[in-house]
């Protein structure tokens, strides 16, 4: 009883916090060539040397060279840290911090998807907060304003350019530890579709499903508001109209820009409304097996939706009508089922796996416990799963 009472009080506190704590938004540059506009804006601030935080894949395809040419053009000095991998770890952030200090940097420019941006957020927080990363993890633990942070997303999924969160993995425990603080929102961001046209189809699919999951979970959150509903709705409609087109032929700047805006809107929605069990499970699949985050979300989302229908039937039915797979003449159960089927059809249309055989039967209980702990103390979901329900759900993902 005491645990339930504490949980209920904590969820109420989160709801109040979501409404009263001001959340900044980055100065946003949008459209083709907006990445160079951001670099020019940085030059006008006269900060000093930047640390570019990115990954080797973006170096290999030439995107980092392109950004560096913009910085050269506008007289901004920089160093590069390109060792970020999917699901960044404490040692990676610590290595990046060492480069920042050694090169006497005064700000950070993250170039890439959610992993480089999250790693850059952690580095920025560590620059000004003399604490171990583990002590910065959690809610409102970043006491001092981080180093100036600018971001150029190269995928359309995480919404990290606008969120208060950074997720980083503890390599010892194989657990993902989120840092959540409004101070982690970047100062400026550029949504440049020119940098996204080369995304391979499988990454387009995974990141698009990540954005979809953000919008869905924000809309189903008990902390949803008219504002977050509006952003989630906009994201859902843009994803419905553009994701498959981006997967089939990602060279359209309009399609890529629309997906970038969908990711941004979904980020605005879940930053205030929060997430749910899909992310809780995906985080621990990623930490345990290295499953890419968007792919892990796609695996879990249909099953979490099915489990949520009894408690959130009307809201799930509403989403079916938003994406034109529902009908006003149908009852809520039929519409809700149509939305679950729609999510599955998106996966199938993009040749995404429906199961994860990597899951070991002996791991299911611990993954379920970790996911329940994360969700129960962070996410205002419409239905809290029992350990048995969560284990059954993960077993379905295993296939």
């Amino acid at each position: 009883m005491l645990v339930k009472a504490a949980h209920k009080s904590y969820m109420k506190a989160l709801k109040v916090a979501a409404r009263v704590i001001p959340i900044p938004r980055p100065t946003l540059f949008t459209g083709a060539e907006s990445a160079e506009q951001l670099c020019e804006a940085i030059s006008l601030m006269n900060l000093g040397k930047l640390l570019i935080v990115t990954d080797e894949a973006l170096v290999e395809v030439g995107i980092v060279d392109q950004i560096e040419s913009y910085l050269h053009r506008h007289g901004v000095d920089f160093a590069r840290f390109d060792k970020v991998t999917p699901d960044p770890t404490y040692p990676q952030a610590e290595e990046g911090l060492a480069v920042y200090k050694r090169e006497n940097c005064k700000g950070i420019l993250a170039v890439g998807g959610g992993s480089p941006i999250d790693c850059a957020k952690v580095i920025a927080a560590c620059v000004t907060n003399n604490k171990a990363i583990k002590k910065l993890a959690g809610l409102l633990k970043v006491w001092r304003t981080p180093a100036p942070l600018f971001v150029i997303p190269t995928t359309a999924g995480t919404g990290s350019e606008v969120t208060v969160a950074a997720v980083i993995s503890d390599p010892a425990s194989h657990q993902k530890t989120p840092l959540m603080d409004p101070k982690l929102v970047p100062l400026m961001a550029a949504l440049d579709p020119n940098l996204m046209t080369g995304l391979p189809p499988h990454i387009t699919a995974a990141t698009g499903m990540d954005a979809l999951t953000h919008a869905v979970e924000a809309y189903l959150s008990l902390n949803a508001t008219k504002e977050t509903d509006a952003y989630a709705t906009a994201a859902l409609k843009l994803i419905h109209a553009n994701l498959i087109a981006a997967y089939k032929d990602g060279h359209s700047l309009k399609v890529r820009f629309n997906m970038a805006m969908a990711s941004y809107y979904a980020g605005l929605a879940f930053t205030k409304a929060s997430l749910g069990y899909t992310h809780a499970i995906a985080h621990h699949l990623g930490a345990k097996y290295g499953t890419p985050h968007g792919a892990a979300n796609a695996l879990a989302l249909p099953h979490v939706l099915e489990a949520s229908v009894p408690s959130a039937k009307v809201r799930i039915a509403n989403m079916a009508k938003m994406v034109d797979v529902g009908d006003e003449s149908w009852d809520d159960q039929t519409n809700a089922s149509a939305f679950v089927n729609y999510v599955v059809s998106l996966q199938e249309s993009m040749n995404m796996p429906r199961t994860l055989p990597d899951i070991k039967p002996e791991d299911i209980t611990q993954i379920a416990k970790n996911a329940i702990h994360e969700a129960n103390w962070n996410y205002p979901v419409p239905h809290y799963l029992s350990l048995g329900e969560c284990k059954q759900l993960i077993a379905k993902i295993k296939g």
Side-chain angles (χ1 to χ4, degrees), residues 26 38 42 47 50-51 53 106-110 116-122 124-125 146-151 160 183-189:
L38 172 60
I42 294 171
L47 290 172
L50 290 181
L51 177 67
V53 176
K106 303 300 180 183
I108 299 174
L109 174 60
I117 295 175
D118 279 1
C119 191
K121 286 181 176 181
V122 175
L149 174 63
F150 311 90
V151 301
S160 296
K183 299 182 191 72
L184 294 174
V185 176
L187 295 178
M188 297 181 181

Side-chain angles (χ1 to χ4, degrees), residues 18-43:
R19 284 164 167 75
V20 301
I21 295 177
I23 297 176
R25 294 185 188 177
T27 298
L28 195 63
F29 299 84
T30 63
E33 310 302 333
S34 59
E36 181 170 7
Q37 293 171 8
L38 172 60
C39 293
E40 182 178 11
I42 294 171
S43 74

Side-chain angles (χ1 to χ4, degrees), residues 27 125 129 254:
T27 298
N129 293 268
K254 182 178 180 180

Side-chain angles (χ1 to χ4, degrees), residues 155-189:
T155 63
T158 68
S160 296
E161 69 275 5
V162 73
T163 66
V164 301
V167 179
I168 191 160
S169 294
D170 181 343
S173 66
H174 298 290
Q175 291 197 17
K176 291 195 174 185
T177 51
L179 286 66
M180 294 177 287
D181 196 294
K183 299 182 191 72
L184 294 174
V185 176
L187 295 178
M188 297 181 181

